Amino acid sequence: MITTMNGFLLDENSGEFEDDGRKISFHNARFYDTDDKKLVKVTIPEPHNALPEPQVNCVIVLKVNAGEKFCKLVYDSYEL
């Protein structure tokens, strides 16, 4: 499922760590939804499309990965 929201990029972070001998890497970003006035944490897949510049209002396109208990938002693209 795909959803969109009006907002802007606040920041992004990425890194790697080791857990029981497994190397785990992550890449996340936080967007501010200007319609609902809420912060949204989004997973950035590898490889990914370009992220918008911070603090630039745009329409953000997200994929929704829904499971039985949890939902995960995954960044897809943006439109100015």
Side-chain angles (χ1 to χ4, degrees), residues 3 66 69:
T3 188
K69 293 185 179 183

Side-chain angles (χ1 to χ4, degrees), residues 2 8 11 18 22 24 26 28-29 32 35 41 46-47 51-53 55 57-58 61 67 69-70 73 76-77 79-80:
I2 293 178
F8 55 86
D11 58 15
E18 200 166 308
R22 295 183 315 160
I24 299 172
F26 64 92
N28 298 322
Y32 184 75
D35 294 332
K41 189 174 180 182
E46 293 297 334
L51 291 170
E53 292 294 322
Q55 306 294 323
N57 283 325
C58 57
V61 180
K69 293 185 179 183
F70 302 104
L73 295 174
D76 185 56
S77 61
E79 303 165 2
L80 292 176

Side-chain angles (χ1 to χ4, degrees), residues 9-46:
L9 174 67
L10 287 174
D11 58 15
E12 65 176 305
N13 66 351
S14 61
E16 296 179 351
F17 62 93
E18 200 166 308
D19 183 33
D20 292 332
R22 295 183 315 160
K23 191 174 187 179
I24 299 172
S25 60
F26 64 92
H27 190 181
N28 298 322
R30 291 188 314 156
F31 288 93
Y32 184 75
D33 184 339
T34 54
D35 294 332
D36 292 334
K37 300 188 178 18
K38 294 186 177 188
L39 290 175
V40 178
K41 189 174 180 182
V42 175
T43 300
I44 309 297
E46 293 297 334

